[in-house]
Amino acid sequence: MFGKKDYAGLKAKLDALSKSLATIEFAPDGTILDANDNFLAAMGYVRGPIVGQHHRVFVDPAEADSPAYLAFWQALRAGRFQAAEYRRLAQGGREVWIQATYNPVLDAGGQVVKIVKFATDITAQKQRNADYEGQIAAINKAQAVIHFALDGTILDANANFLAAAGYPLEAIRGQHHRLFVDDAHAASWEYADFWQRLNRGEFQSGEYKRRAQGGRELWLRASYNPVFDAAGRPFKIVKYATDITAQKLHNADVDGQIQAIGRSQAVIAFSVDGTILDANENFQEAVGYRLEEIRGRHHRMFVEPEHAESRAYQAFWADLRRGEFKSGVYKRRGCNGREIWLQATYNPILDMNGRPFKVVKYASDITLNVQARLEATEATRQTLDNVQAVASAAEEMSASVVEISGNMAHSKVAVDDIHHRTQEADRATTQLRDAAQAMDGVVQTITKVAEQINLLALNATIESARAGEAGKGFAVVAGEVKALASQTTVATARISDQILEMQRVSGDVVRLLAAISATVTTVQSYVTGVASAIEEQSAVTREISCNMQNAAGGVASISRSLDRVARAPG
């Protein structure tokens, strides 16, 4: 039996529990008898309306009708203590989680007379735990997770880690973490210090090179997280990791390419306003400046002052700030104003939001090539002048040849006329020779007549002498006839001489005309050949003139192209 002092102590304890805990009393059938303020506050009820209602007002209807719920109250009525975390419904259906004990109260005969429930509202804790568990579950879905004892012994690992490492769980559980590192690293001071720091509760994170099944290289971005007990002491290590092997290989490829570019090209980086951030040795060598002499200065230090003030230059940087790529041949100014030509690209670099935050320029020094092209351009201009001069001369020659061709055509007509006239003169001379020959026959006839007349005159003189006085008159006539015959003979001889001379001259003329005709024929053939050749030459000269004009146009185009290439803006 309890004395008054014992009851007083027991009541004091119950009062203390009632102040700190939510308390509610039930009849053995579950009817609510009473509830303290803590319970009413937790569940959002006032005392009057809930007294006399059944406990099921606090549970989901589906649960209230379940066999488990019936068994729960049967156990309590049988005097069996119940304790657990319970999901309950507060006023308005609000979910409440409680950590509770259901305590059967027995009478002197050992019969249950009521049930006293002591509870603590753990809704916030359950929500936090649910949040933590949800996060952990999400992490386990997304990341590779492995658990270690403080000495590095593997305790557990999720499917993501096992897939990344290529091991089944039974092959690694109980083994040491050094399974995943090479022997040299496992024996190093850095590796020992790594685990000492974890044992001291120090968080570790970074990118780690690890060894998967078969020695395959595995890269993980991971955090090693000491887990602490209630006393704040580490008792295990949980590692959360992401397999970044593919990314590392990609980055290595990209880095290798960038380094290769950096070795072969001049590289300089600018902020989007044109301020110089960095430059490699190739660029420094190209411009003749050291890095400390250009870092922090503006790109305009490399261009002519008038170009730096131009709208084109301002637009150039405005385009880059908008993320527009630029490429071309650019004239720049190195140390001491030295002229530099660069084949370059200006590449806007975008941040995670797609906004340009800097500009990287990759360039090749082509100063010598451009200077050679400029010299070639000058030589081309001179060639153009020469070609144009030759074209003009060819055109003039073509005109001259055309004129000569015309003159030769006229000459051919004249020579043909001379040849024709010579042939006519030759024919006339032949006729004259024939006439002279005919006259020679007449002269010979006259000579014969004169000789006969002279003979008759001689006979007449003889006969007149015989006649004496009677024949004197006849003798006179005979003398006159004789004298006339003598004169005829003399004249005929003179005519014969003139005819002979005319025949001689006619023969000379015929021979000369024949020679002239032959010469004219030869000249005619020459003139015809020359005229034909000049006609052909005229066609060739016209073609040469046309080709030279085309060549002049081509050289002019080449000159303009070289000039544009050599003096491209930028």
Side-chain angles (χ1 to χ4, degrees):
M1 297 293 294
F2 289 103
K4 290 183 178 180
K5 187 176 181 179
D6 294 326
Y7 279 113
L10 180 59
K11 185 176 185 306
K13 290 179 181 179
L14 290 174
D15 289 340
L17 288 173
S18 182
K19 288 179 181 179
S20 62
L21 298 174
T23 305
I24 187 170
E25 297 179 3
F26 302 94
D29 63 359
T31 302
I32 299 169
L33 302 174
D34 197 6
N36 73 353
D37 292 339
N38 289 339
F39 188 90
L40 295 171
M43 304 302 290
Y45 287 102
V46 293
R47 183 176 287 102
I50 66 168
V51 172
Q53 295 196 53
H54 193 273
H55 173 270
R56 67 173 55 91
V57 71
F58 303 124
V59 301
D60 187 274
E63 181 183 354
D65 293 334
S66 67
Y69 187 70
L70 295 176
F72 173 81
W73 279 102
Q74 288 174 357
L76 289 173
R77 284 192 294 271
R80 292 195 294 273
F81 170 85
Q82 301 288 319
E85 293 179 356
Y86 300 96
R87 177 178 177 268
R88 295 294 181 247
L89 298 180
Q91 178 74 290
R94 175 172 55 88
E95 181 179 88
V96 176
W97 282 86
I98 57 175
Q99 177 75 48
T101 61
Y102 289 78
N103 305 277
V105 178
L106 307 180
D107 60 12
Q111 297 295 315
V112 175
V113 293
K114 67 178 179 180
I115 309 295
V116 178
K117 172 183 176 180
F118 299 103
T120 301
D121 186 351
I122 60 170
T123 305
Q125 179 184 338
K126 288 291 285 186
Q127 289 174 341
R128 283 195 302 272
N129 290 345
D131 182 35
Y132 294 153
E133 289 170 1
Q135 291 185 47
I136 291 172
I139 290 171
N140 272 286
K141 290 179 181 178
Q143 290 194 299
V145 182
I146 186 169
H147 299 249
F148 302 94
L150 291 180
D151 64 357
T153 302
I154 299 167
L155 303 174
D156 196 7
N158 73 354
N160 289 338
F161 187 91
L162 296 172
Y167 288 102
L169 180 59
E170 58 272 16
I172 62 172
R173 180 180 280 152
Q175 296 204 55
H176 194 273
H177 173 271
R178 67 175 61 92
L179 170 70
F180 303 122
V181 300
D182 59 58
D183 296 339
H185 182 60
S188 68
W189 177 87
E190 288 83 5
Y191 186 70
D193 181 66
F194 175 82
W195 280 102
Q196 289 172 9
R197 288 174 178 272
L198 291 174
N199 274 261
R200 291 196 298 268
E202 297 179 18
F203 168 86
Q204 301 285 318
S205 68
E207 293 182 355
Y208 301 95
K209 179 182 176 183
R210 294 295 182 248
R211 185 174 61 183
Q213 173 75 294
R216 174 172 54 88
E217 185 176 287
L218 174 67
W219 280 90
L220 299 174
R221 181 180 291 116
S223 63
Y224 289 78
N225 306 273
V227 180
F228 300 89
D229 62 16
R233 294 184 299 264
F235 70 93
K236 73 173 184 177
I237 309 295
V238 178
K239 172 183 178 179
Y240 300 103
T242 301
D243 184 351
I244 59 169
T245 306
Q247 179 184 337
K248 289 291 284 187
L249 290 173
H250 174 73
N251 290 345
D253 181 41
V254 172
D255 290 344
Q257 293 183 46
I258 291 174
Q259 290 174 11
I261 292 171
R263 287 192 296 268
S264 62
Q265 290 195 299
V267 183
I268 184 170
F270 306 91
S271 62
V272 291
D273 65 357
T275 302
I276 299 166
L277 303 174
D278 198 7
N280 72 352
E281 292 183 1
N282 289 340
F283 188 89
Q284 295 172 47
E285 182 178 349
V287 297
Y289 287 106
R290 297 188 305 277
L291 180 59
E292 57 269 21
E293 295 177 298
I294 61 175
R295 180 181 281 153
R297 299 179 66 181
H298 195 274
H299 172 270
R300 66 173 62 90
M301 71 178 290
F302 301 125
V303 302
E304 298 294 338
E306 58 273 15
H307 180 57
E309 299 300 325
S310 69
R311 289 186 178 179
Y313 185 73
Q314 306 305 318
F316 177 81
W317 278 100
D319 289 345
L320 289 173
R321 284 191 290 274
R322 287 195 297 270
E324 296 183 17
F325 169 85
K326 296 289 183 181
S327 176
V329 175
Y330 301 95
K331 179 183 178 183
R332 293 293 181 251
R333 186 175 62 176
C335 187
N336 299 322
R338 176 169 57 88
E339 182 179 277
I340 299 171
W341 288 88
L342 300 175
Q343 176 77 50
T345 60
Y346 289 78
N347 307 273
I349 308 301
L350 309 181
D351 62 17
M352 300 299 292
N353 297 311
R355 293 187 295 263
F357 71 95
K358 74 174 182 177
V359 176
V360 177
K361 172 182 177 179
Y362 299 104
S364 298
D365 186 351
I366 58 170
T367 305
L368 295 178
N369 290 340
V370 171
Q371 288 174 345
R373 284 201 296 269
L374 289 174
E375 292 174 0
T377 301
E378 183 59 31
T380 303
R381 289 196 186 96
Q382 294 177 0
T383 302
L384 175 60
D385 293 341
N386 294 337
V387 170
Q388 288 174 336
V390 171
S392 298
E395 190 171 358
E396 293 176 2
M397 184 175 72
S398 178
S400 299
V401 168
V402 170
E403 183 177 358
I404 292 170
S405 178
N407 292 337
M408 288 304 297
H410 293 311
S411 298
K412 184 176 183 302
V413 172
V415 169
D416 288 344
D417 185 61
I418 291 171
H419 186 261
H420 179 68
R421 291 180 183 276
T422 301
Q423 288 177 335
E424 289 182 350
D426 184 57
R427 287 194 295 272
T429 301
T430 300
Q431 292 174 354
L432 179 62
R433 184 183 62 192
D434 293 343
Q437 289 176 350
M439 289 175 63
D440 183 61
V442 173
V443 169
Q444 289 177 359
T445 301
I446 292 171
T447 301
K448 290 178 180 179
V449 170
E451 289 175 352
Q452 291 177 356
I453 291 171
N454 191 40
L455 181 61
L456 290 174
L458 178 61
N459 291 330
T461 300
I462 295 170
E463 290 297 328
S464 64
R466 287 177 181 172
E469 193 65 30
K472 288 183 178 181
F474 185 72
V476 171
V477 173
E480 289 294 332
V481 170
K482 184 179 181 181
L484 181 60
S486 296
Q487 292 176 358
T488 299
T489 300
V490 171
T492 301
R494 188 180 296 119
I495 289 170
S496 180
D497 290 340
Q498 292 296 325
I499 288 172
L500 289 173
E501 183 63 22
M502 186 177 69
Q503 287 178 335
R504 184 184 63 79
V505 170
S506 294
D508 291 341
V509 169
V510 169
R511 286 192 299 274
L512 290 173
L513 284 176
I516 290 171
S517 179
T519 302
V520 168
T521 299
T522 301
V523 170
Q524 184 184 37
S525 66
Y526 288 162
V527 168
T528 300
V530 170
S532 177
I534 287 177
E535 181 63 29
E536 293 178 1
Q537 187 63 38
S538 177
V540 172
T541 305
R542 285 194 299 272
E543 184 177 358
I544 291 172
S545 177
C546 181
N547 290 339
M548 290 305 294
Q549 292 293 345
N550 291 336
V555 172
S557 176
I558 292 171
S559 178
R560 289 191 297 270
S561 297
L562 285 173
D563 190 62
R564 283 196 300 270
V565 171
R567 301 187 182 278

